[in-house]
Amino acid sequence: MAWNVFKLCTALKGLGLIIIFLVLGVVGVTYYAVVYCNYGPDLAAGGFNSLLGLIVMIVFHALLVMLLWSYYVVVLTDPGAVPPNYRPLVDQERGETEPVEAPEFGLLSTPDPTNTRVRYCRKCNNYKPPRCHHCSVCGRCVLKMDHHCVWVVNCVGAQNYKYFLLFLFYTFLMTSFVTVALFPRLVVFLDDGKIPGSTSSLATTFFAFVLNLAFALSVFGFLIMHVSLVAENITTIEAYEKTTAIWHYDLGRKRNFEQVFGTVPKYWFLPAYSDEDLQKTPALHGLEYPSQTDFNTQEF
Ligand SMILES: [Zn+2]
Ligand SMILES: [Zn+2]
């Protein structure tokens, strides 16, 4: 097969497994530094150190479980594909409410290029639902595509955006917690030059501290950006494309939040949805999105 620039997309796909091993490697180094080099041995020390060690171990393992669970779910959940025979009835993307004439059978392969009200993907040879975009890495259209994320080796879209946000959230909590937990161990060394444990455990502690601090700082900025996007019910791609001041998918902060996280509070921090939300929230499936005209937004 001849070389072409689209091979770059294939290269990004190939990078996938390497990135997963990189993420697991960072988790492994962190686990070794926290559990084996520092707070695990403290459990047998007795007194306050044992109590502190126990608290750190419980919080660390709880955050680790949530982080790995979110990561597993966002990597393996399909962000949402366009059904093969999807046909739009109205052009919600442009805010027009005129019904679009339903195409005859077979028209999908020969759409009218002058009909600008209908969004059509020439690469997939299919109509595009509102908020859908074509991903050149995945080679297909993705429902409510936010971005293609190299870290999760997947597109982030309608059906896995919540899981991606939880992965960011737990990564931030975990890396911040580890940074704070390991800092006093380095201070002991910097203060009196005494090496707590072996030289290799000090080196691992220092390496894990720097890694977690770097991740905490970079993820924090990303997390803040996505919190503001969820609050406005807008994707990363739409934020770049948006040209009008009025965003008709903005239903107010509470409803915008529920469009991503669901309406059942006990599921907000879990990478899952209640059956009730899956049945009653069309936005979670990615084909239909309520707009401001569907709600009386005065209450917000
Ligand atoms: Zn497409
Ligand atoms: Zn993609």
Side-chain angles (χ1 to χ4, degrees), residues 22-45:
L22 186 65
V23 170
L24 295 179
V26 172
V27 170
V29 168
T30 302
Y31 194 91
Y32 186 78
V34 173
V35 175
Y36 287 96
C37 298
N38 289 284
Y39 289 96
D42 281 5
L43 290 176

Side-chain angles (χ1 to χ4, degrees), residues 13 22 29 41 85 93 120 131 135 202 222 229 250 285:
K13 280 182 186 170
L22 186 65
V29 168
N85 294 316
E93 189 73 12
Y120 191 84
R131 314 188 75 177
C135 174
L202 175 68
F222 209 43
L229 291 175
D250 185 356
H285 298 282

Side-chain angles (χ1 to χ4, degrees), residues 121 124 134 140-141:
C121 179
C124 298
H134 186 89
R140 65 181 174 107
C141 279

Side-chain angles (χ1 to χ4, degrees), residues 47-63:
F48 176 73
N49 281 348
S50 283
L51 180 65
L52 182 65
L54 183 65
I55 294 170
V56 169
M57 293 284 267
I58 291 172
V59 175
F60 176 79
H61 282 91
L63 290 175

